[in-house]
Amino acid sequence: MRATAMAVIVLVVAATAGCGGDGDDADGSGAGAAGDVTDVVDGSSADDGDGESGDDEMQDVIDGLDFGDGGARVTIGNTTYEFELGGNSTVGSTTYMGVCQTLFGMIAGTGYDTEGRAITIDFEIPPPDWETYEDGRFEDSPPRIEIENSDDDTGWLAGQTRAGLDAGSSQIVDWESDGDRASGTATFVAMEPWGAPVEGAEPVTGSFELGCG
């Protein structure tokens, strides 16, 4: 849900941060609030003059946000990952946020590794009969699970076709969902950090369980 949940997070964080003061530079350009967001992204810190750094103020904003919560467990081959889908976790200079939302039977979210590693999950799981809806509500959100490991620049993708992927090599194979929780099997393909499949990598069978609330 990188184009949906994460976009909402960034917009709300930016808007909320802009309300914590006048948010403007002396020239009235409004660059002050944008600077706070940039500070969080690049890990830098600037003191506002009130004794609290821009990073600290933004962390207060992040801690106060609530986009739902939940959990996810994904097994790929012999490796199992577990994720929190609510709150936030800081690894090094990066803060990861968790989101878990349901809408019209869709379960979507992002999350971070429960063991404090720089590993994240991003997913959209519509109802199993998502292709039968004549109003096209899910046509832009086919079932997808994506895992990124920033520690070693590796990743896994199931259920989304990209250039270089053979048809059926990366997919959510079979799943059940009640609108709040979903579980099933998937075929994952190893991905490069720039979004291309790892050359010569064979698809790996896996499973998943996830839910909101």
Side-chain angles (χ1 to χ4, degrees):
M1 199 170 63
R2 193 169 309 282
T4 52
M6 293 311 296
V8 171
I9 294 171
V10 171
L11 288 172
V12 175
V13 169
T16 309
C19 295
D22 58 17
D24 293 336
D25 287 345
D27 63 1
S29 66
D36 289 345
V37 175
T38 303
D39 289 345
V40 174
V41 172
D42 65 19
S44 63
S45 176
D47 197 310
D48 305 66
D50 60 2
E52 187 172 29
S53 71
D55 282 355
D56 292 337
E57 288 185 344
M58 183 57 73
Q59 187 63 51
D60 291 342
V61 171
I62 292 173
D63 289 340
L65 295 176
D66 182 8
F67 291 95
D69 57 22
R73 178 184 295 110
V74 179
T75 298
I76 304 173
N78 296 321
T79 302
T80 297
Y81 304 90
E82 294 190 351
F83 301 93
E84 291 282 353
L85 304 179
N88 63 82
S89 174
T90 299
V91 180
S93 61
T94 303
T95 296
Y96 299 99
M97 296 190 65
V99 176
C100 195
Q101 294 288 295
T102 60
L103 183 66
F104 303 128
M106 167 79 77
I107 307 172
T110 62
Y112 50 87
D113 181 63
T114 60
E115 297 181 6
R117 299 171 296 179
I119 305 175
T120 59
I121 186 173
D122 186 277
F123 64 87
E124 292 179 318
I125 306 295
D129 61 349
W130 65 282
E131 293 180 290
T132 67
Y133 286 77
E134 295 182 357
D135 59 9
R137 68 182 67 179
F138 300 119
E139 64 182 14
D140 294 326
S141 303
R144 174 183 63 87
I145 297 174
E146 187 168 0
I147 292 175
E148 293 184 0
N149 186 340
S150 297
D151 285 335
D152 59 11
D153 289 332
T154 61
W156 294 96
L157 177 68
Q160 185 179 56
T161 300
R162 292 187 184 177
L165 286 176
D166 295 329
S169 64
S170 172
Q171 61 181 327
I172 309 296
V173 179
D174 185 41
W175 73 100
E176 297 179 350
S177 175
D178 64 6
D180 293 311
R181 300 180 181 278
S183 62
T185 57
T187 302
F188 292 86
V189 170
M191 304 295 290
E192 300 283 8
W194 54 86
V198 174
E199 186 174 356
E202 293 294 326
V204 180
T205 300
S207 62
F208 66 92
E209 303 172 64
L210 53 86
C212 297

